[in-house]
Amino acid sequence: MFATKTLIALTALASLAAAGSANAGEFESNGRTAAVRYHDINLSDAAGQKELQRRIRSASNRVCVSADTRTMAACRKLALDHVKAPVASAIARAATGERYADAQTRVGK
C-alpha cells in the first residue's frame, strides 16, 4: 500500500532565531512539512538507504527556509534528528522483510 511507504512527514523547527535558546531535546514544528516517499526504493541495501537519506535531506531543505544561514542549518539538523527513529525503524523492517502494516497490527494488540 502506498501509504505504508511514506515516512512520517518531515517537519521544521519553529522560529529558532526568535527562541534563541532551543535545546537539542526540544522540537517545535513551524507548520511546514514534506512527505518523504520510499515505496520505489529497497531499504534493505546500502544504495536504497543512501537514496532515502538524500530524499530526507532534500525535504529538510524545503521545510527549513530562512534568510539566516545559522537558523536554517540549525533547523535542518533538528528536523533530521527528529526523523532518525522512524528512518531506523523503516530500515529495520526492510532488513527483516516485515511490512509496516504487520508491525502496526502487532503494536495495536
Side-chain angles (χ1 to χ4, degrees):
M1 177 181 283
F2 184 73
T4 65
K5 295 288 187 169
T6 302
L7 198 58
I8 295 174
L10 183 68
T11 56
L13 184 67
S15 61
L16 181 64
S21 64
N23 66 42
E26 295 177 7
F27 185 86
E28 297 179 42
S29 173
N30 67 0
R32 296 181 186 136
T33 64
V36 178
R37 291 177 173 69
Y38 59 95
H39 66 281
D40 60 330
I41 56 178
N42 180 0
L43 295 183
S44 65
D45 67 34
Q49 293 171 19
K50 185 176 180 178
E51 174 60 17
L52 178 58
Q53 292 298 331
R54 186 199 65 75
R55 291 178 187 187
I56 292 169
R57 281 191 309 276
S58 177
S60 74
N61 291 338
R62 290 191 306 272
V63 297
C64 293
V65 179
S66 174
D68 180 60
T69 56
R70 287 180 36 200
T71 299
M72 192 163 39
C75 174
R76 287 179 187 157
K77 181 186 179 329
L78 288 170
L80 294 173
D81 287 348
H82 185 68
V83 298
K84 279 185 181 180
V87 168
S89 179
I91 290 171
R93 283 193 311 273
T96 64
E98 182 178 35
R99 296 179 321 155
Y100 181 75
D102 294 338
Q104 290 298 348
T105 301
R106 257 199 335 276
V107 171
K109 287 188 174 185

